Amino acid sequence: MWQKLFSGSEWLELPLVTLVFFVATFVGACLWAFARRRSGHYDRMARMPLQED
Amino acid sequence: MTSTTSSVTVPVTYDDKSVRGFIFFSVFWGLIGMLVGLLAALQLSFPGLNFDLPWLTFSRIRPLHTNAVVFALVGNMMFAGIYYSTQRLLKTRMASDLLSKVHLWGWQLIVVAAAVTLPLGITQSKEYAELEWPIDLMVVVVWVAFAVNFFWTLAIRNERNIYVAIWFYIATILTVAMLYIVNNLALPIAGTKSYGIFAGGQDALTQWWYGHNAVAFFLTTPILGIMYYFLPKAAERPVYSYRLSIVHFWGLVFIYIWAGPHHLLYTALPVWAQSLGMLFSLMLWAPSWGGMLNGLLTLRGAWHKVRTDPVLKFFVAGVTFYGMSTFEGPLLSIKSVNALGHYTDWIIAHVHGGALGWNGFMAAGMFYWLVPRLFGTQLHSRGLADFHFWIGTFGILLYMVAMWVGGVTHGLMWRAENPDGGLTYPQWAEVIEAVLPMYMLRSIGGTLYLLGWGLMIYNLLATVRGRQPVAVTVTVPKLESTALPSSARLIFSTPIAISVLGCVAGVLFGLGNLALSTVMLVFLLMLVVWAGFLMYHSTGTGKHVWHQMIEGRPLAFSILTMLAVMVGGIVQLVPGLVLEKKVPLTASGEYAVAPYTPLELEGRDVYVREGCYVCHSQMIRPFRSEFLRYGEPSRLEESMWDHPFQWGSKRTGPDLARVGGKYGDDWHYRHMLNPRDLVGASNMPAYPWLRDAKVDTARTSTKLAAMRRLGVPYKAEEIQGAAGALLEQGRRIAEGLAAKGLPLAADSELTALIAFLQRLGKNAVGQN
């Protein structure tokens, strides 16, 4: 289906655009994950297993 | 927020009895499962070790080994981890003691049923889905009991937010249910026999959609949940990055489900499905390694503890093996690498890195941490646990290196060509002999690992000897629901809306034409920007963090997870299932591929029962070397009447897709009675019992009728006259054999098997 879509199509940029899109999502996710921004909520969540039983 | 923590507190006594039960059975079945594995491994070096007993034969016990390790060892281990951590993370006891008991004992009943039926040859012969329909029903019932208990516990929780470990458990419960049911849809014809509703390529696609995601959602996601709970506990450090764990979760859940077709590269499966499988397998690398790093970095500032604490040693090594396996997996999905590694022992190396390194070590780490706590004491011997760790690690490495070398050797020998264009190693005996030393090394590696497991059992027993289990009671603030949100508000909440729209747009992007794809791409980009804006906007301004909104709502969360895992399944499976079978027709309008004769069908059932697929593929790949060795590449329509498909995944012996006509009936007769009479170096088991066993001809027409209900074009008179036709074809084979001095009954199982083998590759109408 994807193959059919792209073979013979003049829009060979489309797979490239898709790639850029996925890379952008990936980079975005990384940036968000590693942002140094403090968030009390996530800190609290991260400590959850450490509470005493 | 929809609920508040009141000042009222309640005492909560955790149900750790179930946890202890699951640990006991995991350890016990693990021992049995690995012993069976060792026996199977040794049989590849010494085929006589089955003592010519059907139920001890490689092709019947290898499924027993895989099922025991996957469902009994890892299954029970995951339930132990889930029961222990869920109660503590949600600050409540499991909702129903009765359901916990049903789960614990029901699961062991399933394991026992599997251990009895698989050696008896009661099997569907689909990998990791071997169990026949009555046991499948038991699995569904027990799984539902587990699910109800789990979600009920979520509903009565005393903690508003749901920790990441729990999400992984939710994903496991929902996805495994979906996969298991779809892949096991079958038409029973007797208490111990059924035919799957899918055939050929459809069955292959469904099976590997299941098989791959069993690895994903049975062997990976629950263990990741366990990692996110027990690793921070053992290290006494919070998880390195909670946000990374969010990305890890959604990345895995969304991408994993698409990767199934990487088990079918270069088969007759449509190319688009193969490419999709490869693409998503490569993408999987990112979230997997994100997760591994998140686990390892949790130990920042605590690395000195790893030196002294065996628990952390096991966890660190386990997570590292997770990283190795999730690197190797995508690597093997690259088509050129797959061309070399597929069907070889390289895959065996890969799965054992995952099973022994990731699952086994995470299990050991968890048991060493948990068992002393459950009995309020210290581990009997840290030194012994350390020793377990070192011989276990050494055992895995020995095992994997042996199988890597053996696998690559096989791959290279199969394709090696002489300057004149012929195969360098046309004889399979040469191929076997080349890796025999590797098979021995593998057995030694496995033995070391098993020895480590034995030490662990001793250590744990010594830890609990003479001790009473402790009952843990805590007092927690009660979580009271105030105004419950209306379901409408829940469904239309922003995160859900964004995710649903995103999934729909993704599907349309993949299915649609060029214009639609472009529009969807733009739409997806806008969605991402919108979500990003909302996330940025909603933090720090007193509003809830974006993800917090679904974290507190298990229902919404579960729906989203289900949606994410269903998209990939729908895009892959539905086109294959709804499209009219592309079957070549003859000039007279008949299907060009004839169904099996009654005798061949019975022979095929013998093939399925004995589990020949564990050593033989029936799928010739489009390479020159395979053309030289086996003939024309396999075509999709050639297996279109095959319930179940038997394409196989491992070539310990040669491909059989076109073995029909290669040898005379007498060759097969002798070969099945003792392969070594014909091929001295063969490590194929002997199947002497087939000669004296008789086909139950009274059941043959039932089988044909069942096949017809599944769409195989048998005519009414063929079904009625099945037994007669069977005997007639059998007599012809028997007469031919008798002329060579080989006595065989017309209705012997061996006769049927020979008829089936001679039919392979001769499918076209009028060809046989």
PDB file of all heavy atoms in Angstrom, chain B residues 77-96:
ATOM      1  N   MET B  77       6.155 -14.914  37.141  1.00  0.00           N
ATOM      2  CA  MET B  77       7.019 -13.862  37.685  1.00  0.00           C
ATOM      3  C   MET B  77       6.351 -12.498  37.516  1.00  0.00           C
ATOM      4  O   MET B  77       6.335 -11.670  38.422  1.00  0.00           O
ATOM      5  CB  MET B  77       8.369 -13.907  36.957  1.00  0.00           C
ATOM      6  CG  MET B  77       9.273 -12.750  37.224  1.00  0.00           C
ATOM      7  SD  MET B  77       9.186 -11.523  35.891  1.00  0.00           S
ATOM      8  CE  MET B  77      10.429 -10.352  36.429  1.00  0.00           C
ATOM      9  N   MET B  78       5.756 -12.296  36.333  1.00  0.00           N
ATOM     10  CA  MET B  78       5.132 -10.981  36.107  1.00  0.00           C
ATOM     11  C   MET B  78       3.935 -10.797  37.027  1.00  0.00           C
ATOM     12  O   MET B  78       3.724  -9.717  37.576  1.00  0.00           O
ATOM     13  CB  MET B  78       4.730 -10.827  34.634  1.00  0.00           C
ATOM     14  CG  MET B  78       3.284 -11.104  34.372  1.00  0.00           C
ATOM     15  SD  MET B  78       2.622 -10.483  32.854  1.00  0.00           S
ATOM     16  CE  MET B  78       3.277 -11.523  31.638  1.00  0.00           C
ATOM     17  N   PHE B  79       3.164 -11.881  37.239  1.00  0.00           N
ATOM     18  CA  PHE B  79       1.998 -11.742  38.122  1.00  0.00           C
ATOM     19  C   PHE B  79       2.459 -11.412  39.535  1.00  0.00           C
ATOM     20  O   PHE B  79       1.845 -10.580  40.221  1.00  0.00           O
ATOM     21  CB  PHE B  79       1.157 -13.020  38.122  1.00  0.00           C
ATOM     22  CG  PHE B  79       0.627 -13.388  36.749  1.00  0.00           C
ATOM     23  CD1 PHE B  79       0.582 -14.707  36.332  1.00  0.00           C
ATOM     24  CD2 PHE B  79       0.193 -12.400  35.876  1.00  0.00           C
ATOM     25  CE1 PHE B  79       0.110 -15.041  35.066  1.00  0.00           C
ATOM     26  CE2 PHE B  79      -0.284 -12.718  34.608  1.00  0.00           C
ATOM     27  CZ  PHE B  79      -0.330 -14.049  34.205  1.00  0.00           C
ATOM     28  N   ALA B  80       3.538 -12.058  39.991  1.00  0.00           N
ATOM     29  CA  ALA B  80       4.065 -11.758  41.323  1.00  0.00           C
ATOM     30  C   ALA B  80       4.416 -10.273  41.418  1.00  0.00           C
ATOM     31  O   ALA B  80       4.008  -9.577  42.358  1.00  0.00           O
ATOM     32  CB  ALA B  80       5.287 -12.625  41.623  1.00  0.00           C
ATOM     33  N   GLY B  81       5.167  -9.799  40.428  1.00  0.00           N
ATOM     34  CA  GLY B  81       5.583  -8.400  40.437  1.00  0.00           C
ATOM     35  C   GLY B  81       4.392  -7.456  40.362  1.00  0.00           C
ATOM     36  O   GLY B  81       4.338  -6.434  41.048  1.00  0.00           O
ATOM     37  N   ILE B  82       3.428  -7.818  39.517  1.00  0.00           N
ATOM     38  CA  ILE B  82       2.262  -6.952  39.346  1.00  0.00           C
ATOM     39  C   ILE B  82       1.444  -6.899  40.645  1.00  0.00           C
ATOM     40  O   ILE B  82       1.063  -5.823  41.111  1.00  0.00           O
ATOM     41  CB  ILE B  82       1.385  -7.438  38.170  1.00  0.00           C
ATOM     42  CG1 ILE B  82       2.106  -7.200  36.840  1.00  0.00           C
ATOM     43  CG2 ILE B  82       0.036  -6.741  38.176  1.00  0.00           C
ATOM     44  CD1 ILE B  82       1.385  -7.731  35.613  1.00  0.00           C
ATOM     45  N   TYR B  83       1.188  -8.058  41.241  1.00  0.00           N
ATOM     46  CA  TYR B  83       0.380  -8.068  42.469  1.00  0.00           C
ATOM     47  C   TYR B  83       1.071  -7.287  43.589  1.00  0.00           C
ATOM     48  O   TYR B  83       0.430  -6.543  44.319  1.00  0.00           O
ATOM     49  CB  TYR B  83       0.090  -9.513  42.911  1.00  0.00           C
ATOM     50  CG  TYR B  83      -1.137 -10.114  42.251  1.00  0.00           C
ATOM     51  CD1 TYR B  83      -1.172 -10.303  40.877  1.00  0.00           C
ATOM     52  CD2 TYR B  83      -2.262 -10.467  42.981  1.00  0.00           C
ATOM     53  CE1 TYR B  83      -2.284 -10.830  40.257  1.00  0.00           C
ATOM     54  CE2 TYR B  83      -3.388 -11.003  42.371  1.00  0.00           C
ATOM     55  CZ  TYR B  83      -3.396 -11.184  41.005  1.00  0.00           C
ATOM     56  OH  TYR B  83      -4.502 -11.706  40.395  1.00  0.00           O
ATOM     57  N   TYR B  84       2.371  -7.478  43.704  1.00  0.00           N
ATOM     58  CA  TYR B  84       3.086  -6.799  44.790  1.00  0.00           C
ATOM     59  C   TYR B  84       3.074  -5.287  44.581  1.00  0.00           C
ATOM     60  O   TYR B  84       2.701  -4.519  45.471  1.00  0.00           O
ATOM     61  CB  TYR B  84       4.521  -7.303  44.869  1.00  0.00           C
ATOM     62  CG  TYR B  84       5.290  -6.738  46.041  1.00  0.00           C
ATOM     63  CD1 TYR B  84       5.256  -7.370  47.284  1.00  0.00           C
ATOM     64  CD2 TYR B  84       6.052  -5.583  45.910  1.00  0.00           C
ATOM     65  CE1 TYR B  84       5.948  -6.857  48.363  1.00  0.00           C
ATOM     66  CE2 TYR B  84       6.748  -5.061  46.985  1.00  0.00           C
ATOM     67  CZ  TYR B  84       6.703  -5.702  48.213  1.00  0.00           C
ATOM     68  OH  TYR B  84       7.377  -5.187  49.278  1.00  0.00           O
ATOM     69  N   SER B  85       3.473  -4.854  43.380  1.00  0.00           N
ATOM     70  CA  SER B  85       3.664  -3.418  43.174  1.00  0.00           C
ATOM     71  C   SER B  85       2.329  -2.680  43.014  1.00  0.00           C
ATOM     72  O   SER B  85       2.182  -1.549  43.488  1.00  0.00           O
ATOM     73  CB  SER B  85       4.555  -3.171  41.958  1.00  0.00           C
ATOM     74  OG  SER B  85       4.001  -3.774  40.802  1.00  0.00           O
ATOM     75  N   THR B  86       1.373  -3.310  42.367  1.00  0.00           N
ATOM     76  CA  THR B  86       0.090  -2.622  42.164  1.00  0.00           C
ATOM     77  C   THR B  86      -0.550  -2.253  43.494  1.00  0.00           C
ATOM     78  O   THR B  86      -1.030  -1.129  43.690  1.00  0.00           O
ATOM     79  CB  THR B  86      -0.870  -3.521  41.362  1.00  0.00           C
ATOM     80  OG1 THR B  86      -0.273  -3.794  40.099  1.00  0.00           O
ATOM     81  CG2 THR B  86      -2.197  -2.844  41.138  1.00  0.00           C
ATOM     82  N   GLN B  87      -0.547  -3.203  44.427  1.00  0.00           N
ATOM     83  CA  GLN B  87      -1.186  -2.923  45.718  1.00  0.00           C
ATOM     84  C   GLN B  87      -0.511  -1.758  46.421  1.00  0.00           C
ATOM     85  O   GLN B  87      -1.162  -0.898  47.008  1.00  0.00           O
ATOM     86  CB  GLN B  87      -1.134  -4.162  46.611  1.00  0.00           C
ATOM     87  CG  GLN B  87      -1.870  -5.351  46.024  1.00  0.00           C
ATOM     88  CD  GLN B  87      -1.866  -6.539  46.970  1.00  0.00           C
ATOM     89  OE1 GLN B  87      -2.611  -6.570  47.929  1.00  0.00           O
ATOM     90  NE2 GLN B  87      -1.020  -7.511  46.697  1.00  0.00           N
ATOM     91  N   ARG B  88       0.821  -1.718  46.324  1.00  0.00           N
ATOM     92  CA  ARG B  88       1.550  -0.657  47.031  1.00  0.00           C
ATOM     93  C   ARG B  88       1.426   0.676  46.321  1.00  0.00           C
ATOM     94  O   ARG B  88       1.345   1.728  46.960  1.00  0.00           O
ATOM     95  CB  ARG B  88       3.011  -1.054  47.208  1.00  0.00           C
ATOM     96  CG  ARG B  88       3.163  -1.949  48.435  1.00  0.00           C
ATOM     97  CD  ARG B  88       4.081  -3.108  48.240  1.00  0.00           C
ATOM     98  NE  ARG B  88       4.156  -3.921  49.450  1.00  0.00           N
ATOM     99  CZ  ARG B  88       3.577  -5.107  49.577  1.00  0.00           C
ATOM    100  NH1 ARG B  88       2.869  -5.622  48.581  1.00  0.00           N
ATOM    101  NH2 ARG B  88       3.700  -5.795  50.695  1.00  0.00           N
ATOM    102  N   LEU B  89       1.416   0.631  44.998  1.00  0.00           N
ATOM    103  CA  LEU B  89       1.319   1.893  44.258  1.00  0.00           C
ATOM    104  C   LEU B  89      -0.080   2.483  44.345  1.00  0.00           C
ATOM    105  O   LEU B  89      -0.253   3.694  44.282  1.00  0.00           O
ATOM    106  CB  LEU B  89       1.700   1.672  42.789  1.00  0.00           C
ATOM    107  CG  LEU B  89       3.198   1.466  42.536  1.00  0.00           C
ATOM    108  CD1 LEU B  89       3.446   0.943  41.133  1.00  0.00           C
ATOM    109  CD2 LEU B  89       3.963   2.770  42.766  1.00  0.00           C
ATOM    110  N   LEU B  90      -1.081   1.621  44.481  1.00  0.00           N
ATOM    111  CA  LEU B  90      -2.452   2.120  44.553  1.00  0.00           C
ATOM    112  C   LEU B  90      -2.943   2.191  45.996  1.00  0.00           C
ATOM    113  O   LEU B  90      -4.077   2.580  46.259  1.00  0.00           O
ATOM    114  CB  LEU B  90      -3.385   1.237  43.722  1.00  0.00           C
ATOM    115  CG  LEU B  90      -3.032   1.133  42.241  1.00  0.00           C
ATOM    116  CD1 LEU B  90      -4.008   0.234  41.517  1.00  0.00           C
ATOM    117  CD2 LEU B  90      -3.021   2.512  41.589  1.00  0.00           C
ATOM    118  N   LYS B  91      -2.076   1.780  46.926  1.00  0.00           N
ATOM    119  CA  LYS B  91      -2.379   1.824  48.360  1.00  0.00           C
ATOM    120  C   LYS B  91      -3.683   1.114  48.692  1.00  0.00           C
ATOM    121  O   LYS B  91      -4.529   1.630  49.439  1.00  0.00           O
ATOM    122  CB  LYS B  91      -2.438   3.267  48.849  1.00  0.00           C
ATOM    123  CG  LYS B  91      -1.131   4.016  48.632  1.00  0.00           C
ATOM    124  CD  LYS B  91      -1.066   5.219  49.549  1.00  0.00           C
ATOM    125  CE  LYS B  91       0.254   5.938  49.448  1.00  0.00           C
ATOM    126  NZ  LYS B  91       0.328   6.807  48.262  1.00  0.00           N
ATOM    127  N   THR B  92      -3.870  -0.037  48.130  1.00  0.00           N
ATOM    128  CA  THR B  92      -5.058  -0.807  48.460  1.00  0.00           C
ATOM    129  C   THR B  92      -4.765  -2.287  48.246  1.00  0.00           C
ATOM    130  O   THR B  92      -3.851  -2.641  47.512  1.00  0.00           O
ATOM    131  CB  THR B  92      -6.251  -0.387  47.593  1.00  0.00           C
ATOM    132  OG1 THR B  92      -7.383  -1.162  47.959  1.00  0.00           O
ATOM    133  CG2 THR B  92      -5.988  -0.591  46.126  1.00  0.00           C
ATOM    134  N   ARG B  93      -5.564  -3.135  48.920  1.00  0.00           N
ATOM    135  CA  ARG B  93      -5.440  -4.563  48.699  1.00  0.00           C
ATOM    136  C   ARG B  93      -6.073  -4.918  47.356  1.00  0.00           C
ATOM    137  O   ARG B  93      -6.944  -4.198  46.871  1.00  0.00           O
ATOM    138  CB  ARG B  93      -6.186  -5.294  49.831  1.00  0.00           C
ATOM    139  CG  ARG B  93      -6.015  -6.795  49.867  1.00  0.00           C
ATOM    140  CD  ARG B  93      -6.899  -7.368  50.990  1.00  0.00           C
ATOM    141  NE  ARG B  93      -6.909  -8.829  50.971  1.00  0.00           N
ATOM    142  CZ  ARG B  93      -6.034  -9.595  51.619  1.00  0.00           C
ATOM    143  NH1 ARG B  93      -5.072  -9.029  52.327  1.00  0.00           N
ATOM    144  NH2 ARG B  93      -6.110 -10.906  51.559  1.00  0.00           N
ATOM    145  N   MET B  94      -5.630  -6.011  46.742  1.00  0.00           N
ATOM    146  CA  MET B  94      -6.286  -6.456  45.512  1.00  0.00           C
ATOM    147  C   MET B  94      -7.781  -6.564  45.795  1.00  0.00           C
ATOM    148  O   MET B  94      -8.194  -7.016  46.871  1.00  0.00           O
ATOM    149  CB  MET B  94      -5.754  -7.808  45.049  1.00  0.00           C
ATOM    150  CG  MET B  94      -4.325  -7.814  44.515  1.00  0.00           C
ATOM    151  SD  MET B  94      -3.941  -6.634  43.211  1.00  0.00           S
ATOM    152  CE  MET B  94      -4.867  -7.285  41.838  1.00  0.00           C
ATOM    153  N   ALA B  95      -8.595  -6.208  44.802  1.00  0.00           N
ATOM    154  CA  ALA B  95     -10.020  -6.052  45.059  1.00  0.00           C
ATOM    155  C   ALA B  95     -10.678  -7.337  45.518  1.00  0.00           C
ATOM    156  O   ALA B  95     -11.524  -7.325  46.401  1.00  0.00           O
ATOM    157  CB  ALA B  95     -10.708  -5.526  43.802  1.00  0.00           C
ATOM    158  N   SER B  96     -10.303  -8.472  44.925  1.00  0.00           N
ATOM    159  CA  SER B  96     -11.018  -9.701  45.255  1.00  0.00           C
ATOM    160  C   SER B  96     -10.050 -10.844  45.530  1.00  0.00           C
ATOM    161  O   SER B  96      -9.308 -11.266  44.649  1.00  0.00           O
ATOM    162  CB  SER B  96     -11.948 -10.088  44.104  1.00  0.00           C
ATOM    163  OG  SER B  96     -12.291 -11.447  44.197  1.00  0.00           O
TER     164      SER B  96
END
